[in-house]
Amino acid sequence: MSKYIFVTGGVVSSVGKGIAVASIGTILKSRGLSVTVQKLDPYLNVDPGTMSPYQHGEVFVTKDGAETDLDLGNYERFIDVSLTQDSNITSGQIYLAVIGRERRGDFLGGTIQVVPHVTNEIKDRFKRLAEKSKADVILIEVGGTVGDIEGLPFLEAIRQMRKDAGRDNVLYIHVTLLPYLNSTKELKTKPTQHSVNELRRIGIQPDVIICRSDYPIPDNLRDKISLFCDVDREAVIPLTTVSSVYEVPLVLEETGLGKLIAEKLNLPGKETDLSEWREMVSRLKDSQEPVNIALVGKYVELSDSYYSVREALQHAALFHNRHLNLFWVHSEQLEKMDDVDPLLRTAQGIIVPGGFGVRGIEGMIKAARYARENKIPYLGLCLGMQVMVIEFARYAFSSDKPNSTEFDPVTPYPVIDIMTEQKAISSKGGTMRLGNYPCRLVEGTNAAKAYGCNPIEERHRHRFEFNNQFRQVLEEKGLVLSGLSPDTRLVECAEVKDHPWMVACQFHPEFGSRPNRPHPLFRDFIGAAKDVLREGAQRALPLTS
Ligand code: GLN
């Protein structure tokens, strides 16, 4: 039978709950336990797929094609698991299911209420995941902050679980923040006390409190929190800010959290063994020599929009013992410049990630041109491949007209066009080509060299594709179609022939990268970039942030 750990957050949002959950997963897995994770998002959207990256950050795509919260990416990277649509639940999904059943007549005669109908639907999702995964531990993160109106049904459901699953099988962890007051030079516990009170008001007494803080937490504050919040002294876990999120499992384990959870839940398994993880973190800290990578996108003001891309670059840099010096370049800024060299001069590699809509596209095309002409390694992801193809076509046809019909519906050279299957679709939610699809790589290409296996499977999220009418002519001009769907109908990877490393893919390799196992395309991209000599590369500073 699975044990449940429910993690709530208090005081402020963005307190690092997702990383704490992922890190607990790392610790428990290293104790020989099987772990799976679920994220509960209180908003009414059915999934974040329709939300702007400015609202929500990255949309993380699971293998089975669910568009989910970016925390799932952290869970996958930290616990080294592949999650599915069962791992992300939103209030929108829950209400849709309950109301759908009401309309079918499943509750005929009954009044449909938040308790028990909505809470039962939520608990069914926990139990379904436990049954399907057969994991020793199900870690469940409640999104938002305790006290949010929309989060109440989730909190009520997790409260009921203590009775449903049995007291010994459920653990509640509360992650809070201890703010620092500059005037008195001290950390304050009162907001934590208040948020624990709020939890207790709805019937949840936390077993463990993880206290986030930017400064070391003195022992007397742990005592105070223990006393006021009625939590064992050793279960008040300090978590001070660290330079890399990958340090968090080590910091938490130092406090004895793994053993504490194992004892409280009576879990089998061995001692925590984070030796491999520790080695990875020390290499991360030791890697001094920089590799300068320019990420060109239109959502760069919010780096969470490219969360998995940034992490995948980090993993690849670590593989090469380099320090990732990532600078964010706004594509709209490039768009306005005649000469983009001042912004890209120090880049040893240029990456154009995914995106939607016409804003900033011409800036990305300029970046791709700069990479091709100056032989700077380039990695294009999804939109980044479409941009590379458009730029190449403009060069090949000596025209500025080639485009995607997403950006110019009447272009005479629609080198990227809407997929046939997508033409009749008007509804926006969950309707893109999503999730894992196979791809066959062409031997001898940079893509095939990177993967070293064939065929591959990667995660997708797009509506547009390479227009096959232009295959032959662009190939003749030096574009290599290095990966095709097994039926050869879709171009999945492309690269530029007379270039050291200009590779792009229609899929999203960033989701599959792990700290100890960089994705092959990212690994070879950084491998190609790291020795490129650029003027001022060694002393580059972030140009925009
Ligand atoms: N907008 C492009 C499409 O829909 C690219 C999507 C993406 O980068 N995820 O095909």
Side-chain angles (χ1 to χ4, degrees), residues 390-465:
I390 294 167
E391 192 287 315
F392 191 86
R394 289 185 183 184
Y395 148 76
F397 299 131
S398 307
S399 159
D400 59 2
K401 296 277 185 301
N403 217 326
S404 162
T405 51
E406 183 181 1
F407 317 127
D408 177 4
V410 294
T411 168
Y413 303 93
V415 288
I416 304 292
D417 197 8
I418 185 110
M419 301 178 76
T420 322
E421 301 81 339
Q422 289 284 332
K423 282 185 181 148
I425 298 175
S426 60
S427 140
K428 291 277 183 271
T431 54
M432 282 187 247
R433 179 173 180 247
L434 288 165
N436 258 20
Y437 285 93
C439 161
R440 195 164 279 286
L441 300 170
V442 176
E443 287 313 319
T445 58
N446 279 328
K449 278 184 212 153
Y451 280 92
C453 63
N454 219 351
I456 55 159
E457 278 212 345
E458 292 281 8
R459 306 181 204 189
H460 296 68
R461 184 175 185 247
H462 66 118
R463 292 187 205 283
F464 290 79
E465 62 173 338

Side-chain angles (χ1 to χ4, degrees), residues 292-309:
N292 285 2
I293 302 296
L295 185 150
V296 179
K298 71 168 175 177
Y299 310 112
V300 291
E301 303 93 319
L302 185 73
S303 61
D304 273 7
S305 309
Y306 304 108
Y307 203 113
S308 292
V309 175

Side-chain angles (χ1 to χ4, degrees), residues 97-234:
V98 173
I99 292 169
R101 283 166 55 207
E102 188 274 334
R103 293 289 80 185
R104 276 206 312 271
D106 289 8
F107 309 107
L108 225 48
T111 306
I112 315 307
Q113 295 180 295
V114 172
V115 184
H117 300 96
V118 169
T119 47
N120 281 351
E121 180 67 33
I122 297 170
K123 289 191 295 179
D124 283 350
R125 307 284 175 120
F126 304 158
K127 294 170 191 171
R128 208 181 303 159
L129 181 62
E131 251 161 53
K132 269 199 201 169
S133 68
K134 309 248 179 309
D136 296 319
V137 182
I138 318 281
L139 270 162
I140 299 177
E141 176 185 348
V142 186
T145 309
V146 167
D148 296 345
I149 292 173
E150 56 188 7
L152 279 173
F154 285 128
L155 293 176
E156 170 59 15
I158 72 168
R159 182 193 69 77
Q160 293 175 14
M161 281 298 286
R162 184 157 251 181
K163 190 165 69 59
D164 284 25
R167 286 183 185 270
D168 297 340
N169 299 321
V170 173
L171 192 81
Y172 298 105
I173 299 182
H174 193 49
V175 185
T176 72
L177 174 77
L178 306 189
Y180 181 76
L181 275 195
N182 207 18
S183 54
T184 52
K185 306 256 177 296
E186 58 178 354
L187 293 168
K188 305 302 287 182
T189 66
K190 189 70 83 191
T192 297
Q193 296 176 41
H194 280 308
S195 88
V196 169
N197 275 345
E198 186 67 22
L199 261 185
R200 282 178 174 160
R201 202 176 57 78
I202 44 183
I204 298 170
Q205 165 63 47
D207 300 292
V208 177
I209 299 180
I210 296 179
C211 303
R212 284 274 301 103
S213 150
D214 285 336
Y215 296 92
I217 301 174
D219 279 350
N220 66 326
L221 284 198
R222 287 179 76 185
D223 292 336
K224 192 170 174 185
I225 293 167
S226 165
L227 179 70
F228 280 94
C229 301
D230 201 13
V231 170
D232 297 339
R233 167 70 166 67
E234 67 273 16

Side-chain angles (χ1 to χ4, degrees), residues 354-357 381-383 386 406 461-464 506 508:
F356 297 84
L381 311 173
C382 201
L383 177 66
Q386 300 176 353
E406 183 181 1
R461 184 175 185 247
H462 66 118
R463 292 187 205 283
F464 290 79
Q506 189 53 76
H508 289 272

Side-chain angles (χ1 to χ4, degrees), residues 16-23 25-26 37 58 60 68-81 83 141 245-246 277 304 307-308 310-311 315 511 513-515:
K17 201 161 21 105
I19 297 293
V21 170
S23 301
T26 312
V37 204
E58 160 187 290
F60 186 82
T68 72
D69 186 76
L70 60 75
D71 272 328
L72 270 78
N74 286 322
Y75 307 155
E76 288 208 0
R77 288 184 281 273
F78 276 67
I79 313 174
D80 200 1
V81 282
L83 301 171
E141 176 185 348
V245 291
Y246 296 112
W277 196 272
D304 273 7
Y307 203 113
S308 292
R310 187 186 63 196
E311 294 308 297
H315 306 158
F511 299 137
S513 181
R514 301 284 184 265

Side-chain angles (χ1 to χ4, degrees), residues 267-292:
L267 289 166
K270 52 185 176 75
E271 295 283 291
T272 309
D273 177 9
L274 292 174
S275 44
E276 232 183 89
W277 196 272
R278 186 164 288 113
E279 192 268 334
M280 182 267 289
V281 171
S282 78
R283 277 201 304 121
L284 190 64
K285 287 180 154 177
D286 287 349
S287 304
Q288 303 281 333
E289 201 180 335
V291 56
N292 285 2

